[in-house]
Amino acid sequence: MSNYGEAIWVSGSPSLRGLSTPLINKLAEYTNISGWEYIQSIDEPACMDTAVELLHSYLKTKDAPVNLIGHGIGGTISLMLARKYPEFVKSLTLLSVAAQPAKTWHVNYYQQRDIYTLSKTEALLNTLHNVFRNKYPCCLRNLIDNFYRDLENLPLMHSLLKLENLPLEGVSMPLMVCGGQIDMILGYPDFHAWKKYLKPEDTLWKCPQGGHFFHYFYPEIVTHQILHFWKLHQLERIGKEVISMGNG
């Protein structure tokens, strides 16, 4: 067992799995990390509660609380789980998750279609430009196909008619919120609104030069920051145990 405890990477975007692989592989060099993925069936309605309960069922098989990590909608699922079932979560690390956790890249897509009355393809192309700023990780055609599939797997009720919102609040366990310095999907207000919900032991960090998928392009830097967060949390927990033993 790693000194940090077990880590679980939570994903709600199976079609975008490759964008998280570099960070997961790098973290695996230092800790035990496994993955959990939410996949909707074709006729299944969009429902965040369903994703949370499925993740809860998985975590009940674990012997101890885990370090949850998630990017985008995976982070949103992790956050909702941590609020509802805090006893299963040792720490929570969120990547590109706004203080309004329902504000995923999908919101940018629907806003493009609504405000500018663009077609599906035009809106998605604009959104991909905002996500990657022309620094595409693979050919554009593959990205378009993968992001289209991600729209269909979303456990949020975003549509042209209405964008869903989720409660604004923090969590009881140590929390790390990471973002990209030049993220065009989540701007300064989306990220820094987290400050009102942070505890003294929580961490707010931005990846220099990083965009919305900063963890794909800079896995080494992100890994270093996450390990540092875990280490601080571990030392703090040990310190509290020593004080408690002394008082006893």
Side-chain angles (χ1 to χ4, degrees), residues 141-154:
R141 172 46 56 188
N142 286 345
L143 277 179
I144 291 173
D145 291 342
N146 291 339
F147 274 72
Y148 265 138
R149 288 199 295 272
D150 195 50
L151 281 168
E152 297 173 353
N153 192 69
L154 184 67

Side-chain angles (χ1 to χ4, degrees), residues 4-247:
Y4 303 111
E6 184 177 2
I8 306 292
W9 179 273
V10 177
S11 171
S13 302
S15 64
L16 305 182
R17 189 181 298 128
L19 295 175
S20 299
T21 300
L23 177 59
I24 295 172
N25 290 343
K26 183 58 64 174
L27 284 169
E29 297 177 10
Y30 303 93
T31 191
N32 300 324
I33 183 168
S34 55
W36 179 91
E37 197 166 66
Y38 172 71
I39 303 176
Q40 283 184 6
S41 62
I42 295 177
D43 297 323
E44 183 180 355
C47 182
M48 178 58 65
D49 290 341
T50 299
V52 169
E53 293 306 320
L54 288 171
L55 177 56
H56 177 225
S57 296
Y58 174 68
L59 294 182
K60 286 193 291 186
T61 66
K62 301 299 177 180
D63 296 328
V66 300
N67 298 302
L68 281 188
I69 316 173
H71 174 275
I73 190 61
T76 301
I77 296 171
S78 301
L79 176 61
M80 297 299 106
L81 181 286
R83 289 174 179 172
K84 189 170 183 179
Y85 302 107
E87 67 272 19
F88 290 90
V89 185
K90 183 178 181 181
S91 73
L92 179 63
T93 302
L94 305 177
L95 287 69
S96 297
V97 177
Q100 170 42 262
K103 188 176 181 182
T104 58
W105 74 263
H106 313 79
V107 171
N108 186 273
Y109 165 80
Y110 285 114
Q111 288 175 336
Q112 295 278 343
R113 293 194 61 193
D114 181 36
I115 297 173
Y116 304 110
T117 62
L118 300 179
S119 68
K120 291 182 179 180
T121 301
E122 290 171 333
L124 190 55
L125 284 172
N126 279 358
T127 298
L128 287 176
H129 172 73
N130 291 336
V131 168
F132 294 108
R133 296 172 293 112
N134 290 329
K135 189 179 179 181
Y136 300 125
C138 63
C139 76
L140 188 56
R141 172 46 56 188
N142 286 345
L143 277 179
I144 291 173
D145 291 342
N146 291 339
F147 274 72
Y148 265 138
R149 288 199 295 272
D150 195 50
L151 281 168
E152 297 173 353
N153 192 69
L154 184 67
L156 289 169
M157 292 185 288
H158 291 329
S159 69
L160 281 172
L161 299 177
K162 183 180 179 181
L163 296 174
E164 184 176 2
N165 285 320
L166 294 171
L168 300 172
E169 56 184 283
V171 293
S172 59
M173 69 289 301
L175 170 66
M176 181 180 192
V177 180
C178 307
Q181 187 69 41
I182 47 178
D183 187 348
M184 296 178 67
I185 298 297
L186 304 180
Y188 182 91
D190 299 309
F191 187 72
H192 285 272
W194 273 110
K195 289 184 176 181
K196 67 179 71 173
Y197 307 109
L198 298 184
K199 308 179 297 300
E201 67 268 29
D202 294 341
T203 298
L204 195 66
W205 175 75
K206 276 197 170 185
C207 179
Q209 301 303 312
H212 193 64
F213 284 87
F214 62 93
H215 63 302
Y216 172 83
F217 296 99
Y218 305 101
E220 295 87 356
I221 298 174
V222 180
T223 295
H224 174 77
Q225 293 296 326
I226 292 175
L227 294 178
H228 180 66
F229 167 66
W230 285 345
K231 185 176 182 180
L232 288 178
H233 168 53
Q234 190 81 353
L235 291 174
E236 181 181 357
R237 184 183 62 80
I238 293 173
K240 288 181 179 178
E241 290 177 353
V242 170
I243 292 174
S244 178
M245 292 174 61
N247 292 336

